[in-house]
Amino acid sequence: MLRAACRDRGRIVRLSPDGTIQVLTATFHSACDPDVSFDGTRCLFAAKRTAEDDWNIYEMTVDGSRFRQITRSRGDCRSPRYQSSFYQISEEEPWYQILFVGSDPRGLNETGTAVATAIYSCKLDGSLVRRVTFNLSSDFDPSIMWDGRLLYSTWQRRTLQRGDRGRIVLLDANPEGTDYAPFATDCGLRIKHMACTTPDGLAVFVETDHSPWDGAGQLASVSLLRPLHTYRRLTEPADGLFHCPSPLPDGIILVSRRPADGSGTHAVYRLDPESKRMAIAYDDPQRHDIQATAITPHPEPDGRSSSVLDDDPTGKLYCLSIYNSDHQDRRFVPGMAKRLRVVEGLPRTATDREKPVGASLPEIARRRVLGEAPIAQDGSFNIEVPANVPLELHVLDEDGISLRSCGWVWTRNHFNQGCVGCHEDPELTPENRLAEALDRPTVRLLAPPEERPSVDFRRDVLPIVEAKCTGCHGSNGSPPVLAAGTKVDPEQAYLALRSLAEGSEAESAMGKYVHPGRARTSPLVWHMFGRNTSRPWDGNWRSRPATPIPPGESPPLTHPERETIVRWIDLGAAFEGIGLSAVKGRLGEAEGNGG
C-alpha cells in the first residue's frame, strides 16, 4: 500500500531557464521534498547530513547560499510544507508555521509492516511541535489549499479480514487536525496520494491500485469546489507512470513520468490538465528527476484560527444522525441502531509481542472499549472522549452486534468534532433541526486507561468454550474440534475457531467460523443466536443458512457470554492481545523444538 519512504543519495538541484543545473545540497548525504515559500525566496526540504542520521527539516535560500535546521531529535521528519498564518484562541498573536510528516522508529503501522507516520506542525524556528493527525495506519503527503486547509493522504483499513489492506484516500482538515472530511475517497483507483492544487481550482493526484516502489501511477483530478462529484482521469496506463505533480502559476502542472514497463528513469514534463497535452521539460537519463517545483512567488493561502486549547485533555464527538448516508444501499433504517460502542486503538510498537510469520495474517493494532453511549431515536449521539486518541465508532443493534463501524477518528483538545451522518455527503446541507442528543447531557466516556477493557480469547472467551462448548465440539464431536478429550489447548482451540473458509477467493479470505471485525457475518455468532445476523448490505452472507445450537445438548449461553464473544470478534478476534500469525508462529516453534 505504501511507497518506499527513503530517497537516499537524492539531491536538490536548481534548473535555470537555459538548462544549466546547480546542486544546492552538495553538503548533505541525502536531500528531497522541496517546498518553495510564498514569496519565492526560500525553500523547505528534508535532508540527512550523514547516512546514519535521521531525516530532518531544513530551510535554505533558493540559491542555496544559507541553510538552517528546523527539526531536531524527533525521528524521521519529511515532506515539509509552508503554512499560512495561524492563530490559536489561547494565544495573543498569530504566527507562521510549517507542516511535516513525522515518524517514530519505535511505532509501527496498524499491520506492523512499516513505521507509522503522522502529520505534525511546528513554528518556523522548530518550536511548538504538535501532532495533527492520529490515524493508526499512516498519514502523509500534506498539501495546503487556497483556503489554508490541509489536504493529505491517509491509509484506511476498511476491515480486519485476511488480505484486505484497505485503501489510501484523500482527506481535508483544518491545519491543527480538526474538522477532517472526505475529499477524494471512493472514486477511481484504490490508492490516492501526492496531491497538489492548481490556481484553476483543481486537486491533481497520483492514483494506483498497487503501489510500486516509488508510488507512481496514473493522474486524476477533482474540483476543489465539489471534490466528491467531479472525479476525472487525466492519463491512461499507456501514457506511462506519473509521480509528484506540482502546479505552475498558469494552471499547467510539472510532473515526473517514467515508462510503464519499468525501463528508463523519471523525466520532468509539463502537463495541461484540461487538454491533457504533455511536453518534456527536463531529463537526466542517468537519474530519476522527481519532485519538481517552480521557484516563483505564489499567493499565500488564507490564514486560519483554532479553538483548540492544549490544557484541556478531552473533546467531544457528536453526530446529527447516523441514518444520514450517501451509501447506495439505504436499508440502514431508523430504529435499527440502539447504542454506540467507542473503541480505542492502541498504537503498535516494535517491542510488542506480535510476531508475523511468513505469509500469514498481518497483526492488527490492539483495541479496547472506551465505553458505550445511547443513540437517540433520531440517530444522534453526543459524547465526550479523551482528546488525541484514535477511536473506532461501532453502531450496535439490540443484541450488541456491530452494524457498521468507521475508520479511525479523533477529536482535539477542547474541540467539538461533529459529523452530519454515517458516511454522509458533506457537500449537502443537513436538515435544519435540533438533534435529540444535543439537547441532552453529553455522555462522558473518560475511563482511565487501566479501566478500558479489552477482549481476548485466552482470558475472556476460553472459559466460555470450556464451560459450554467442549461437550459437542470435542475430538469425537462436531467441527470445529475445540478439545481433545476433556483437555482444551487454548492455542489449538483458537486456531480451530479461526479456520479458513473454503470456496471462492473472496470466501477463503474470510474465516470459516469467525470474521474478525465483523461479528454479524460470523457463523459462530449465527450458531449462538440461532439465526443469520448479517444485514442486507452484507451481500451473499445474507442468504447463508445458520446452524443453531441443538437444544438440550449443552447449557445455554447467557446474554453476557454471547455479548463477550460478539465483542471479541468485533474487536478483531485476538488471542491474548495478539493475532493469528503470532499463535501459528509460536506453535511452529514448539513443533520445531520438539514441543
Side-chain angles (χ1 to χ4, degrees), residues 339-343 371-372 392-394 396 400 567 570-571:
R339 295 186 65 80
L340 181 76
R341 178 195 296 142
V342 182
V343 177
E372 291 187 7
E392 280 183 342
L393 305 180
H394 294 192
L396 308 181
R567 271 194 177 190
D570 275 340
L571 269 62

Side-chain angles (χ1 to χ4, degrees), residues 244-376:
C244 55
S246 175
L248 292 172
D250 59 0
I252 302 297
I253 61 171
L254 294 173
V255 65
S256 295
R257 175 190 173 276
R258 63 179 175 90
D261 62 6
S263 63
T265 60
H266 285 283
V268 179
Y269 285 77
R270 293 168 55 97
L271 184 145
D272 184 343
E274 294 302 321
S275 67
K276 303 182 182 180
R277 287 196 295 268
M278 283 188 296
I280 193 166
Y282 177 77
D283 182 27
D284 178 347
Q286 304 303 313
R287 294 178 177 269
H288 289 289
D289 307 308
I290 58 174
Q291 297 186 325
T293 185
I295 303 176
T296 182
H298 50 285
E300 180 177 327
D302 293 343
R304 307 293 301 188
S305 62
S306 173
S307 60
V308 168
L309 295 179
D310 295 324
D311 58 357
D312 186 345
T314 72
K316 292 182 179 179
L317 287 171
Y318 67 89
C319 177
L320 300 185
S321 174
I322 61 169
Y323 303 116
N324 286 334
S325 175
D326 65 352
H327 282 295
Q328 292 182 352
D329 190 334
R330 297 182 179 274
R331 285 175 280 184
F332 193 40
V333 297
M336 184 179 288
K338 304 301 182 183
R339 295 186 65 80
L340 181 76
R341 178 195 296 142
V342 182
V343 177
E344 174 193 15
L346 301 179
R348 291 283 307 276
T349 67
T351 57
D352 281 349
R353 292 179 60 193
E354 290 89 342
K355 187 175 64 174
V357 178
S360 54
L361 175 69
E363 304 300 335
I364 61 171
R366 286 176 289 181
R367 289 153 165 80
R368 58 190 180 191
V369 178
L370 192 60
E372 291 187 7
I375 294 176

